[in-house]
């Protein structure tokens, strides 16, 4: 296993994700993306197209490429805001742009079908970075697994 960024914020969860089957990984990825997008206002037609493709489980390279363009645009906006020397308003703008970029990137990782442990771990890392909320991420994963395995 190569370096997994999720280990830097949730090492136990990172180990656990590599023990999950395809259906669990897919369910976790979808729930995590919904949670991340719910925290960041990412209003762009490319997100709508990607969510529709994900729901239908028919993701093309074109959809992935277009969403990746959005991720890059949002990252560039965040970097530009971070590098500017303005005051508190710019910091708020940076935090918002950073959150939007992370949510879009979580969605991008979820577009790899079938889901792999690596892409789901990256999706989860990006999602928790939206608000720096590892506990929220853990709650989402627990809910998904409880619904997948009601006896847990």
């Amino acid at each position: 296993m190569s370096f997994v960024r999720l280990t830097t914020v949730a090492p136990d969860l990172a180990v656990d994700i590599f023990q999950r089957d395809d259906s669990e990984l897919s369910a976790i990825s979808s729930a995590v993306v919904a949670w991340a997008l719910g925290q960041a206002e990412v209003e762009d037609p490319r997100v709508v197209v990607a969510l529709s493709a994900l729901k239908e489980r028919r993701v093309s390279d074109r959809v992935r490429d277009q969403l990746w363009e959005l991720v890059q645009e949002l990252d560039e906006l965040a970097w530009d805001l971070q590098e500017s020397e303005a005051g508190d308003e710019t910091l708020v703008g940076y935090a918002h742009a950073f959150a939007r970029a992370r949510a879009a990137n979580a969605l991008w990782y979820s577009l790899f079908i079938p889901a792999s442990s690596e892409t789901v771990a990256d999706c989860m890392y990006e999602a928790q970075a939206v608000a720096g909320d590892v506990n929220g991420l853990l709650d989402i994963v627990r809910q998904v697994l409880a619904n997948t395995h009601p006896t847990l």
Side-chain angles (χ1 to χ4, degrees):
M1 177 172 71
S2 61
F3 176 73
V4 177
R5 295 178 300 158
L6 187 61
T7 61
T8 64
V9 294
D12 292 342
L13 185 56
V15 169
D16 181 58
I17 213 67
F18 281 85
Q19 299 171 11
R20 299 295 166 185
D21 65 32
D22 291 347
S23 65
E24 291 169 321
L25 291 172
S26 179
I28 289 168
S29 180
S30 293
V32 166
V33 163
W35 174 68
L37 289 172
Q39 295 182 78
E41 297 172 12
V42 186
E43 296 180 14
D44 189 283
R46 293 169 284 191
V47 170
V48 174
V49 169
L51 286 170
S52 177
L54 183 60
K55 182 179 179 181
E56 295 172 10
R57 313 288 296 155
R58 293 177 157 215
V59 179
S60 67
D61 288 340
R62 182 172 183 235
V63 169
R64 262 190 227 98
D65 291 347
Q66 289 176 342
L67 189 63
W68 184 247
E69 288 175 11
L70 174 62
V71 171
Q72 290 177 320
E73 290 169 17
L74 293 172
D75 272 335
E76 286 177 29
L77 174 61
W79 293 327
D80 289 347
L81 288 169
Q82 185 180 35
E83 290 174 358
S84 75
E85 295 185 24
D88 291 341
E89 188 174 305
T90 300
L91 288 176
V92 170
Y94 162 73
H96 184 69
F98 179 82
R100 292 173 56 219
R102 303 292 52 85
N105 208 10
L107 176 57
W108 184 79
Y109 278 112
S110 75
L111 295 178
F112 289 87
I113 298 173
S116 71
S117 298
E118 291 85 0
T119 59
V120 174
D122 281 331
C123 172
M124 294 166 70
Y125 178 82
E126 293 290 341
Q128 67 77 34
V130 169
D133 188 2
V134 174
N135 289 329
L137 175 66
L138 291 169
D139 289 344
I140 294 298
V141 172
R142 283 186 198 113
Q143 289 172 11
V144 169
L145 294 175
N147 289 336
T148 306
H149 303 286
T151 56
L152 292 180

